[in-house]
Amino acid sequence: TEELKHAFSPDTLLQVTFNQTLSDGQLVALNSIGSALQTGDTTYTIASKTAEDTLKSEVFNFAVAHKLILTEMKLIESSLEDVFKNVTK
């Protein structure tokens, strides 16, 4: 089932929280990020076609370069139902 999720899930989704709010478009400026949505005061959901490990490294390096504290970073997993919905659209 994990192989199906990865084969048909279009993006890697990552939820990140920083110690402060970012300016508009700051995360999207990273090459690997397709979109970033602010979902809380300092929390963002990032969508990317990049592999999970690469994306996590780039977000970490972004935080260091901008002198931000990264307080949370977690992968948002797609359920099999989500994958099925994407495949049958």
Side-chain angles (χ1 to χ4, degrees):
T1 59
E2 287 302 313
E3 290 174 6
L4 282 174
K5 286 182 187 179
H6 292 294
F8 292 105
S9 187
D11 292 324
T12 299
L13 295 176
L14 197 63
Q15 181 177 320
V16 296
T17 304
F18 298 100
N19 64 319
Q20 64 188 48
T21 303
L22 305 179
S23 60
D24 288 342
Q26 202 171 0
L27 276 172
V28 181
L30 291 171
N31 291 332
S32 63
I33 294 179
S35 64
L37 176 66
Q38 187 170 357
T39 55
D41 288 339
T42 59
T43 302
Y44 301 83
T45 299
I46 298 169
S48 176
K49 301 259 185 242
T50 304
E52 175 187 348
D53 290 340
T54 302
L55 180 59
K56 285 181 175 181
S57 293
E58 289 186 14
V59 170
F60 176 79
N61 291 335
F62 167 85
V64 170
H66 291 85
K67 296 182 171 79
L68 298 167
I69 298 170
L70 188 58
T71 59
E72 180 181 32
M73 182 184 325
K74 67 180 180 181
L75 182 67
I76 299 173
E77 302 259 359
S78 296
S79 68
L80 279 177
E81 181 181 355
D82 295 335
V83 172
F84 181 76
K85 287 178 183 177
N86 285 334
V87 172
T88 58
K89 279 185 180 179

Coordinates of all heavy atoms in Angstrom, one line a residue:
T1 N 0.8 -1.2 0.0 CA 0.0 0.0 0.0 C 0.9 1.3 0.0 O 0.5 2.2 -0.6 CB -1.0 0.0 1.2 OG1 -0.2 0.0 2.4 CG2 -2.0 -1.1 1.1
E2 N 2.0 1.2 0.7 CA 2.9 2.4 0.7 C 3.4 2.7 -0.7 O 3.5 3.8 -1.1 CB 4.1 2.2 1.6 CG 3.7 2.3 3.1 CD 3.0 3.6 3.5 OE1 3.6 4.7 3.1 OE2 2.0 3.6 4.1
E3 N 3.7 1.6 -1.5 CA 4.1 1.8 -2.9 C 3.1 2.5 -3.7 O 3.4 3.4 -4.5 CB 4.5 0.5 -3.5 CG 5.8 -0.1 -2.9 CD 6.1 -1.5 -3.4 OE1 5.4 -2.0 -4.3 OE2 7.1 -2.1 -2.9
L4 N 1.8 2.1 -3.5 CA 0.7 2.8 -4.2 C 0.6 4.2 -3.9 O 0.4 5.1 -4.8 CB -0.6 2.1 -3.9 CG -0.9 0.8 -4.6 CD1 -2.2 0.1 -4.1 CD2 -1.0 0.9 -6.1
K5 N 0.7 4.5 -2.6 CA 0.6 5.9 -2.2 C 1.7 6.8 -2.9 O 1.4 7.8 -3.4 CB 0.8 6.1 -0.7 CG -0.3 5.6 0.1 CD 0.0 5.8 1.6 CE -1.1 5.3 2.5 NZ -0.8 5.5 3.9
H6 N 2.9 6.3 -2.9 CA 4.0 7.0 -3.5 C 3.9 7.1 -5.0 O 4.3 8.1 -5.6 CB 5.4 6.5 -3.1 CG 5.6 6.7 -1.6 ND1 5.8 7.9 -1.1 CD2 5.7 5.8 -0.6 CE1 6.0 7.8 0.2 NE2 6.0 6.6 0.5
A7 N 3.4 6.1 -5.6 CA 3.3 6.0 -7.1 C 2.2 7.0 -7.6 O 2.4 7.6 -8.7 CB 2.9 4.6 -7.5
F8 N 1.1 7.2 -6.8 CA 0.0 8.0 -7.3 C -0.2 9.3 -6.6 O -1.0 10.1 -7.0 CB -1.3 7.2 -7.3 CG -1.3 6.0 -8.3 CD1 -1.1 4.7 -7.8 CD2 -1.4 6.2 -9.6 CE1 -1.1 3.7 -8.7 CE2 -1.4 5.2 -10.5 CZ -1.2 3.9 -10.1
S9 N 0.5 9.5 -5.5 CA 0.4 10.8 -4.8 C 1.2 11.8 -5.5 O 2.4 11.6 -5.7 CB 0.8 10.6 -3.4 OG 0.6 11.8 -2.6
P10 N 0.6 12.9 -5.9 CA 1.3 13.9 -6.8 C 2.4 14.7 -6.1 O 3.4 15.1 -6.7 CB 0.2 14.8 -7.3 CG -0.8 14.7 -6.2 CD -0.7 13.3 -5.7
D11 N 2.3 15.0 -4.9 CA 3.3 15.9 -4.2 C 3.7 15.3 -2.8 O 2.9 14.6 -2.2 CB 2.6 17.2 -3.9 CG 2.4 18.0 -5.2 OD1 3.2 17.9 -6.1 OD2 1.4 18.7 -5.3
T12 N 4.8 15.8 -2.4 CA 5.2 15.6 -1.0 C 4.7 16.8 -0.2 O 4.8 17.9 -0.7 CB 6.8 15.6 -0.9 OG1 7.3 14.5 -1.7 CG2 7.2 15.5 0.5
L13 N 3.9 16.5 0.8 CA 3.4 17.5 1.7 C 4.1 17.6 3.0 O 4.2 16.5 3.6 CB 1.9 17.3 1.9 CG 1.0 17.4 0.7 CD1 -0.5 17.0 1.0 CD2 1.0 18.8 0.0
L14 N 4.6 18.8 3.3 CA 5.3 18.9 4.6 C 4.7 20.1 5.4 O 4.4 21.1 4.8 CB 6.8 19.3 4.2 CG 7.9 19.1 5.2 CD1 8.0 17.7 5.7 CD2 9.2 19.6 4.6
Q15 N 4.5 19.8 6.6 CA 4.0 20.9 7.5 C 5.2 21.4 8.3 O 5.9 20.6 9.0 CB 2.9 20.4 8.4 CG 2.4 21.5 9.4 CD 1.3 21.0 10.2 OE1 0.4 20.2 9.8 NE2 1.3 21.4 11.5
V16 N 5.5 22.7 8.3 CA 6.6 23.3 9.0 C 6.1 24.5 9.9 O 5.2 25.2 9.5 CB 7.7 23.8 8.1 CG1 8.3 22.6 7.4 CG2 7.2 24.8 7.1
T17 N 6.7 24.6 11.0 CA 6.4 25.8 11.9 C 7.7 26.4 12.3 O 8.7 25.8 12.6 CB 5.7 25.3 13.2 OG1 4.5 24.5 12.8 CG2 5.3 26.5 14.1
F18 N 7.7 27.8 12.1 CA 8.9 28.6 12.5 C 8.6 29.4 13.7 O 7.4 29.5 14.2 CB 9.2 29.5 11.3 CG 9.6 28.8 10.0 CD1 8.6 28.6 9.0 CD2 10.8 28.3 9.8 CE1 9.0 28.0 7.8 CE2 11.2 27.6 8.7 CZ 10.2 27.5 7.6
N19 N 9.6 30.1 14.2 CA 9.4 30.9 15.4 C 8.7 32.3 15.1 O 8.4 33.0 16.0 CB 10.7 31.1 16.1 CG 11.7 31.9 15.3 OD1 11.8 31.7 14.1 ND2 12.5 32.8 15.9
Q20 N 8.6 32.6 13.8 CA 8.0 33.9 13.4 C 7.3 33.7 12.0 O 7.5 32.8 11.3 CB 9.0 35.0 13.3 CG 10.1 34.8 12.3 CD 11.2 35.8 12.4 OE1 11.7 36.1 13.5 NE2 11.5 36.4 11.3
T21 N 6.4 34.6 11.7 CA 5.7 34.6 10.5 C 6.6 35.0 9.3 O 7.5 35.9 9.5 CB 4.5 35.6 10.5 OG1 3.7 35.3 11.6 CG2 3.7 35.6 9.2
L22 N 6.5 34.4 8.2 CA 7.3 34.7 7.0 C 6.6 35.7 6.1 O 5.4 35.8 6.2 CB 7.6 33.5 6.2 CG 8.2 32.3 7.0 CD1 8.4 31.1 6.1 CD2 9.5 32.7 7.6
S23 N 7.4 36.5 5.4 CA 6.7 37.4 4.4 C 6.2 36.6 3.2 O 6.6 35.5 2.9 CB 7.8 38.4 3.9 OG 8.8 37.8 3.3
D24 N 5.2 37.2 2.5 CA 4.5 36.5 1.4 C 5.6 36.1 0.4 O 6.4 36.8 0.0 CB 3.5 37.4 0.8 CG 2.3 37.6 1.6 OD1 2.1 36.8 2.5 OD2 1.5 38.6 1.4
G25 N 5.4 34.8 -0.1 CA 6.3 34.3 -1.1 C 7.7 33.9 -0.7 O 8.4 33.5 -1.6
Q26 N 8.0 34.1 0.5 CA 9.4 33.8 1.0 C 9.7 32.3 0.8 O 10.8 32.0 0.3 CB 9.5 34.2 2.4 CG 11.0 34.4 2.8 CD 11.1 35.0 4.2 OE1 10.1 35.3 4.9 NE2 12.3 35.2 4.7
L27 N 8.8 31.4 1.1 CA 9.0 30.0 1.0 C 9.0 29.5 -0.5 O 9.8 28.7 -0.9 CB 8.0 29.1 1.8 CG 8.3 28.9 3.2 CD1 7.1 28.3 3.9 CD2 9.6 28.1 3.4
V28 N 8.1 30.1 -1.2 CA 7.9 29.7 -2.6 C 9.2 30.1 -3.5 O 9.4 29.5 -4.5 CB 6.6 30.3 -3.2 CG1 6.4 29.9 -4.7 CG2 5.4 29.9 -2.4
A29 N 10.0 31.0 -2.9 CA 11.2 31.4 -3.7 C 12.2 30.2 -3.7 O 13.0 30.2 -4.6 CB 11.8 32.6 -3.0
L30 N 12.0 29.2 -2.9 CA 12.9 28.0 -3.0 C 12.5 27.2 -4.2 O 11.3 27.0 -4.5 CB 12.7 27.1 -1.7 CG 13.2 27.6 -0.4 CD1 12.8 26.7 0.7 CD2 14.7 27.8 -0.5
N31 N 13.5 26.8 -5.0 CA 13.3 26.1 -6.2 C 12.4 24.9 -6.1 O 11.6 24.6 -7.0 CB 14.6 25.8 -6.9 CG 15.4 27.0 -7.4 OD1 14.7 28.0 -7.7 ND2 16.7 26.9 -7.4
S32 N 12.6 24.1 -5.1 CA 11.9 22.8 -4.9 C 10.4 22.9 -4.5 O 9.7 22.0 -4.5 CB 12.7 21.9 -4.0 OG 12.7 22.5 -2.7
I33 N 10.0 24.1 -4.1 CA 8.6 24.2 -3.5 C 7.7 24.7 -4.6 O 7.8 25.7 -5.2 CB 8.6 25.2 -2.3 CG1 9.5 24.6 -1.2 CG2 7.2 25.6 -1.9 CD1 9.6 25.5 0.0
G34 N 6.6 23.9 -4.8 CA 5.6 24.2 -5.7 C 4.6 25.2 -5.2 O 4.2 26.2 -5.8
S35 N 4.2 25.0 -3.9 CA 3.3 26.0 -3.3 C 3.5 25.9 -1.8 O 4.0 24.9 -1.2 CB 1.9 25.6 -3.6 OG 1.5 24.4 -3.1
A36 N 3.1 27.0 -1.1 CA 3.2 27.0 0.3 C 2.0 27.8 0.8 O 1.7 28.9 0.3 CB 4.5 27.7 0.8
L37 N 1.3 27.2 1.7 CA 0.0 27.8 2.3 C 0.2 28.0 3.8 O 0.6 27.1 4.5 CB -1.1 26.8 2.0 CG -2.5 27.2 2.6 CD1 -3.0 28.5 1.9 CD2 -3.5 26.1 2.4
Q38 N -0.1 29.2 4.2 CA 0.0 29.5 5.6 C -1.2 29.0 6.3 O -2.3 29.3 6.0 CB 0.1 31.0 5.9 CG 0.4 31.4 7.3 CD 0.7 32.8 7.5 OE1 0.8 33.6 6.6 NE2 0.9 33.2 8.8
T39 N -1.0 28.0 7.2 CA -2.2 27.4 7.8 C -2.3 27.7 9.3 O -3.2 27.2 10.0 CB -2.0 25.8 7.7 OG1 -0.8 25.4 8.2 CG2 -2.1 25.4 6.2
G40 N -1.4 28.6 9.8 CA -1.5 29.0 11.2 C -0.6 30.3 11.3 O -0.1 30.7 10.3
D41 N -0.5 30.8 12.5 CA 0.3 32.1 12.6 C 1.7 31.9 12.0 O 2.2 32.8 11.3 CB 0.4 32.5 14.1 CG -0.9 33.0 14.6 OD1 -1.8 33.4 13.8 OD2 -1.1 33.0 15.8
T42 N 2.3 30.8 12.4 CA 3.7 30.6 11.9 C 3.9 29.2 11.3 O 5.0 28.7 11.2 CB 4.7 30.7 13.1 OG1 4.4 29.8 14.1 CG2 4.7 32.1 13.7
T43 N 2.8 28.6 10.9 CA 2.8 27.2 10.4 C 2.4 27.3 8.9 O 1.5 28.0 8.5 CB 1.8 26.3 11.1 OG1 2.1 26.3 12.5 CG2 1.8 24.9 10.6
Y44 N 3.1 26.5 8.1 CA 2.9 26.4 6.7 C 2.8 25.0 6.2 O 3.5 24.1 6.7 CB 4.1 27.1 6.0 CG 4.2 28.6 6.4 CD1 4.9 28.9 7.6 CD2 3.7 29.6 5.7 CE1 5.0 30.2 8.0 CE2 3.8 30.9 6.1 CZ 4.5 31.2 7.3 OH 4.6 32.5 7.7
T45 N 2.0 24.8 5.2 CA 2.0 23.5 4.5 C 2.6 23.7 3.1 O 2.2 24.6 2.3 CB 0.6 22.9 4.3 OG1 0.0 22.8 5.6 CG2 0.5 21.6 3.6
I46 N 3.6 22.9 2.8 CA 4.4 23.0 1.6 C 4.2 21.8 0.7 O 4.2 20.7 1.2 CB 5.9 23.1 2.0 CG1 6.3 24.3 2.8 CG2 6.8 23.0 0.7 CD1 7.6 24.2 3.4
A47 N 3.9 22.1 -0.5 CA 3.7 21.0 -1.5 C 4.9 21.1 -2.5 O 5.3 22.1 -3.0 CB 2.4 21.2 -2.3
S48 N 5.5 19.9 -2.8 CA 6.6 19.8 -3.7 C 6.7 18.5 -4.4 O 6.2 17.5 -3.9 CB 7.9 20.0 -2.9 OG 9.0 19.9 -3.7
K49 N 7.3 18.5 -5.6 CA 7.5 17.2 -6.3 C 8.8 16.6 -5.9 O 9.2 15.5 -6.3 CB 7.5 17.5 -7.8 CG 6.2 18.1 -8.3 CD 5.4 17.1 -9.0 CE 4.1 17.7 -9.6 NZ 2.9 17.3 -9.0
T50 N 9.6 17.3 -5.1 CA 10.9 16.9 -4.6 C 10.8 15.8 -3.6 O 9.8 15.7 -2.8 CB 11.6 18.1 -4.0 OG1 11.7 19.2 -4.9 CG2 13.0 17.8 -3.6
A51 N 11.8 14.9 -3.5 CA 11.8 13.8 -2.6 C 11.8 14.4 -1.1 O 12.3 15.5 -0.9 CB 13.0 13.0 -2.8
E52 N 11.2 13.6 -0.2 CA 11.0 14.1 1.1 C 12.3 14.5 1.8 O 12.4 15.6 2.4 CB 10.4 13.0 2.0 CG 10.2 13.3 3.4 CD 9.8 12.0 4.2 OE1 9.4 11.0 3.6 OE2 9.9 12.1 5.5
D53 N 13.4 13.7 1.7 CA 14.6 14.1 2.4 C 15.2 15.3 1.8 O 15.8 16.2 2.6 CB 15.6 12.9 2.2 CG 15.2 11.7 3.1 OD1 14.4 11.9 4.0 OD2 15.7 10.6 2.8
T54 N 15.2 15.5 0.5 CA 15.7 16.7 -0.1 C 14.9 17.9 0.3 O 15.5 19.0 0.6 CB 15.7 16.6 -1.7 OG1 16.4 15.4 -2.0 CG2 16.2 17.8 -2.4
L55 N 13.6 17.8 0.3 CA 12.7 18.9 0.7 C 13.0 19.3 2.2 O 13.2 20.5 2.5 CB 11.3 18.6 0.5 CG 10.2 19.6 0.9 CD1 10.5 20.9 0.1 CD2 8.8 19.1 0.7
K56 N 13.1 18.4 3.0 CA 13.4 18.7 4.4 C 14.7 19.4 4.6 O 14.9 20.3 5.4 CB 13.4 17.4 5.3 CG 12.0 16.8 5.6 CD 12.1 15.6 6.4 CE 10.7 15.1 6.8 NZ 10.8 13.8 7.6
S57 N 15.7 18.9 3.9 CA 17.1 19.6 3.9 C 17.0 21.0 3.4 O 17.6 21.9 4.0 CB 18.1 18.8 3.0 OG 18.3 17.6 3.6
E58 N 16.2 21.2 2.3 CA 16.1 22.6 1.8 C 15.4 23.5 2.7 O 15.8 24.7 2.9 CB 15.5 22.6 0.4 CG 16.4 22.0 -0.6 CD 15.8 22.1 -2.0 OE1 14.9 22.8 -2.3 OE2 16.4 21.4 -2.9
V59 N 14.4 23.0 3.4 CA 13.6 23.9 4.4 C 14.5 24.2 5.6 O 14.5 25.3 6.0 CB 12.3 23.2 4.8 CG1 11.7 23.9 6.0 CG2 11.3 23.1 3.6
F60 N 15.3 23.2 6.0 CA 16.2 23.4 7.1 C 17.2 24.5 6.8 O 17.5 25.4 7.5 CB 16.9 22.1 7.6 CG 17.9 22.3 8.6 CD1 17.5 22.4 10.0 CD2 19.2 22.4 8.3 CE1 18.4 22.6 11.0 CE2 20.2 22.6 9.3 CZ 19.8 22.7 10.6
N61 N 17.8 24.3 5.6 CA 18.8 25.3 5.1 C 18.2 26.7 5.0 O 18.9 27.7 5.3 CB 19.5 24.8 3.8 CG 20.4 23.6 4.1 OD1 20.9 23.3 5.2 ND2 20.5 22.8 3.0
F62 N 17.0 26.7 4.5 CA 16.3 28.0 4.4 C 16.2 28.7 5.8 O 16.4 29.9 5.9 CB 14.9 27.8 3.8 CG 14.0 28.9 3.9 CD1 14.0 30.0 3.0 CD2 13.1 29.0 4.9 CE1 13.1 31.1 3.1 CE2 12.2 30.1 5.1 CZ 12.2 31.1 4.1
A63 N 15.8 27.9 6.8 CA 15.6 28.4 8.1 C 17.0 29.0 8.7 O 17.0 30.0 9.2 CB 15.1 27.3 9.1
V64 N 18.0 28.2 8.4 CA 19.3 28.6 8.9 C 19.7 29.9 8.2 O 20.2 30.9 8.8 CB 20.4 27.5 8.7 CG1 21.8 28.0 8.9 CG2 20.1 26.3 9.6
A65 N 19.6 30.0 6.9 CA 20.0 31.1 6.1 C 19.2 32.4 6.5 O 19.8 33.5 6.4 CB 19.8 30.9 4.6
H66 N 18.0 32.2 7.0 CA 17.2 33.4 7.3 C 17.1 33.6 8.9 O 16.3 34.4 9.4 CB 15.8 33.3 6.8 CG 15.7 33.4 5.3 ND1 16.0 32.3 4.4 CD2 15.5 34.5 4.5 CE1 15.9 32.8 3.2 NE2 15.6 34.0 3.2
K67 N 18.0 32.9 9.6 CA 18.1 33.0 11.0 C 16.7 32.8 11.7 O 16.3 33.5 12.6 CB 18.7 34.4 11.4 CG 20.1 34.5 11.0 CD 20.6 35.9 11.4 CE 22.1 36.0 11.2 NZ 22.6 36.3 9.9
L68 N 16.0 31.7 11.2 CA 14.7 31.3 11.8 C 14.9 30.1 12.6 O 15.8 29.3 12.4 CB 13.7 31.0 10.7 CG 13.4 32.1 9.7 CD1 12.6 31.6 8.5 CD2 12.5 33.1 10.4
I69 N 14.1 29.9 13.6 CA 14.1 28.7 14.4 C 12.9 27.8 13.8 O 11.8 28.2 13.8 CB 13.9 29.0 15.9 CG1 15.0 29.8 16.4 CG2 13.7 27.7 16.7 CD1 14.8 30.3 17.8
L70 N 13.3 26.6 13.4 CA 12.3 25.7 12.9 C 11.8 24.8 14.1 O 12.6 24.0 14.7 CB 13.0 24.8 11.9 CG 12.2 23.8 11.0 CD1 11.1 24.5 10.3 CD2 13.1 23.1 10.1
T71 N 10.6 25.0 14.5 CA 10.1 24.4 15.7 C 9.4 23.1 15.4 O 9.2 22.3 16.4 CB 9.2 25.3 16.5 OG1 8.0 25.7 15.7 CG2 9.9 26.6 17.0
E72 N 8.9 22.9 14.2 CA 8.3 21.6 13.8 C 8.4 21.4 12.3 O 8.3 22.3 11.5 CB 6.8 21.7 14.2 CG 6.0 20.4 13.9 CD 4.6 20.5 14.2 OE1 4.0 21.6 14.2 OE2 4.0 19.4 14.6
M73 N 8.6 20.1 12.0 CA 8.6 19.7 10.6 C 8.1 18.3 10.5 O 8.7 17.4 11.1 CB 10.0 19.8 10.0 CG 10.1 19.5 8.5 SD 11.7 19.4 7.7 CE 12.7 20.6 8.5
K74 N 7.0 18.1 9.8 CA 6.5 16.7 9.7 C 5.9 16.5 8.3 O 5.3 17.4 7.7 CB 5.5 16.4 10.8 CG 4.2 17.2 10.8 CD 3.3 16.8 11.9 CE 2.0 17.6 11.9 NZ 1.1 17.3 13.0
L75 N 6.0 15.3 7.9 CA 5.4 14.9 6.6 C 3.9 14.7 6.8 O 3.5 14.1 7.8 CB 6.1 13.5 6.2 CG 5.6 13.0 4.9 CD1 6.1 13.9 3.7 CD2 6.2 11.6 4.7
I76 N 3.1 15.1 5.9 CA 1.7 14.9 5.8 C 1.5 13.7 4.9 O 1.7 13.8 3.7 CB 0.9 16.1 5.4 CG1 1.2 17.3 6.3 CG2 -0.6 15.8 5.3 CD1 0.6 18.6 5.9
E77 N 1.0 12.6 5.4 CA 0.8 11.4 4.7 C -0.5 11.4 4.0 O -1.5 11.8 4.6 CB 1.0 10.2 5.6 CG 2.3 10.1 6.3 CD 3.2 9.1 5.7 OE1 2.9 8.5 4.7 OE2 4.3 9.0 6.2
S78 N -0.6 10.9 2.8 CA -1.8 10.8 2.1 C -2.4 9.4 2.5 O -1.7 8.4 2.6 CB -1.6 10.7 0.5 OG -1.1 12.0 0.1
S79 N -3.7 9.4 2.7 CA -4.4 8.1 3.0 C -4.7 7.4 1.6 O -4.6 8.0 0.6 CB -5.7 8.4 3.7 OG -6.6 9.0 2.8
L80 N -5.0 6.2 1.7 CA -5.3 5.4 0.5 C -6.5 6.0 -0.2 O -6.6 6.1 -1.4 CB -5.5 3.9 0.8 CG -4.3 3.1 0.9 CD1 -4.6 1.7 1.3 CD2 -3.4 3.1 -0.4
E81 N -7.4 6.5 0.6 CA -8.6 7.2 0.1 C -8.2 8.4 -0.7 O -8.8 8.6 -1.8 CB -9.6 7.6 1.2 CG -10.9 8.2 0.7 CD -11.8 8.6 1.8 OE1 -11.5 8.3 3.0 OE2 -12.8 9.3 1.5
D82 N -7.3 9.2 -0.2 CA -6.8 10.4 -0.9 C -6.2 10.0 -2.3 O -6.4 10.7 -3.3 CB -5.8 11.2 -0.1 CG -6.4 11.8 1.1 OD1 -7.7 12.0 1.2 OD2 -5.7 12.0 2.1
V83 N -5.4 9.0 -2.2 CA -4.7 8.5 -3.5 C -5.8 8.1 -4.5 O -5.7 8.4 -5.6 CB -3.7 7.4 -3.1 CG1 -3.2 6.7 -4.4 CG2 -2.6 7.9 -2.3
F84 N -6.8 7.3 -4.0 CA -7.8 6.8 -4.9 C -8.6 8.0 -5.5 O -8.9 8.0 -6.7 CB -8.8 5.9 -4.1 CG -9.9 5.4 -5.0 CD1 -9.7 4.3 -5.9 CD2 -11.2 5.9 -4.9 CE1 -10.7 3.8 -6.7 CE2 -12.2 5.4 -5.7 CZ -12.0 4.4 -6.6
K85 N -8.9 9.0 -4.7 CA -9.6 10.2 -5.3 C -8.8 10.9 -6.3 O -9.3 11.3 -7.4 CB -9.9 11.2 -4.1 CG -11.0 10.7 -3.2 CD -11.2 11.7 -2.1 CE -12.3 11.3 -1.1 NZ -12.5 12.2 0.0
N86 N -7.4 11.0 -6.1 CA -6.6 11.6 -7.1 C -6.5 10.8 -8.4 O -6.5 11.4 -9.5 CB -5.2 11.8 -6.6 CG -5.1 13.0 -5.6 OD1 -5.9 13.9 -5.6 ND2 -4.1 12.9 -4.7
V87 N -6.5 9.5 -8.3 CA -6.4 8.6 -9.5 C -7.7 8.6 -10.3 O -7.6 8.6 -11.5 CB -6.0 7.2 -9.0 CG1 -6.1 6.2 -10.2 CG2 -4.6 7.2 -8.5
T88 N -8.8 8.7 -9.6 CA -10.1 8.6 -10.3 C -10.7 10.0 -10.7 O -11.9 10.0 -11.1 CB -11.1 7.8 -9.4 OG1 -11.2 8.5 -8.1 CG2 -10.6 6.4 -9.2
K89 N -10.0 11.0 -10.6 CA -10.5 12.4 -11.0 C -10.8 12.4 -12.4 O -10.0 11.9 -13.2 CB -9.5 13.5 -10.6 CG -9.6 13.9 -9.1 CD -8.7 15.1 -8.9 CE -8.8 15.5 -7.4 NZ -8.0 16.6 -7.1

